[in-house]
Amino acid sequence: AGLSSACILAGLQRNGMGELYSIDLPNAEKEYLPTLGVTPLAILPRDKPPGFLVPEVLQPRWHLYLGDTYEMFPKLLSELPEVNLFLHDSEHTYKTMTFEYETVWPHLQPNGLLLSDEVSWNNAFPDFCRRQGLKPVYFWGTGLAGVSRPAGTTTMQ
């Protein structure tokens, strides 16, 4: 629906800088959530497109790509000059979460943030942080967590 995107875009507009790049595979929750024992909640209404909650005034800073993260994410990262903030809020499986964290990490700027939704659904986030030697911050009761890339680390250019 685009609620997270609308909130991020409102912040970008207020700051007068930044772009948001989103990859979405509409209604993918119908496929994978039941396999996790979870009832899908974010199914798009039949007559609404992905991101329908994003107001038109916020859309100029938004680049929405529809497709599979495994195909689109590496290509998108190779085209971006830098990544300062990454939010995982797509398929919450161990495999996909790990793929996205590992794929974005080399591109994340020092002091950049990696945020993730639904970190309590599996161990992908704590396992990633352990492998990288990072101390995450958990927003208890929300399913959200984050970690900052240490200053002085090298990124891919």
Side-chain angles (χ1 to χ4, degrees), residues 67-83:
D68 187 306
T69 190
Y70 290 96
E71 296 171 16
M72 302 188 87
F73 195 37
K75 183 177 184 306
L76 175 60
L77 287 171
S78 73
E79 296 171 0
L80 295 177
E82 63 182 24
V83 177

Side-chain angles (χ1 to χ4, degrees), residues 15-36:
N15 290 336
M17 57 188 284
E19 302 283 322
L20 175 63
Y21 296 83
S22 302
I23 299 173
D24 190 22
L25 191 57
N27 292 329
E29 288 187 359
K30 287 182 190 177
E31 309 290 324
Y32 84 90
L33 282 181
T35 67
L36 302 176

Side-chain angles (χ1 to χ4, degrees), residues 129-147:
C129 291
R130 198 170 14 266
R131 282 191 304 277
Q132 296 293 332
L134 303 168
K135 293 184 180 182
V137 173
Y138 291 88
F139 300 91
W140 295 110
T142 67
L144 297 169
V147 67

Side-chain angles (χ1 to χ4, degrees), residues 10 14 18 20 31 33 37 42 46 51 66 73 87 90 92 94 109 112 114-115 124 128-129 136 154-155:
R14 182 174 181 170
L20 175 63
E31 309 290 324
L33 282 181
R46 191 166 296 185
L66 300 180
F73 195 37
L87 170 63
S90 64
H92 304 305
Y94 188 95
Q109 296 297 299
L114 184 153
L115 306 175
F128 169 78
C129 291
T154 305
T155 61

Side-chain angles (χ1 to χ4, degrees), residues 1-2 24 26 44-54 59 62 64 66:
D24 190 22
L44 288 171
R46 191 166 296 185
D47 62 335
K48 300 290 184 184
F52 72 90
L53 290 178
V54 177
Q59 291 180 11
W62 191 32
L64 174 61
L66 300 180

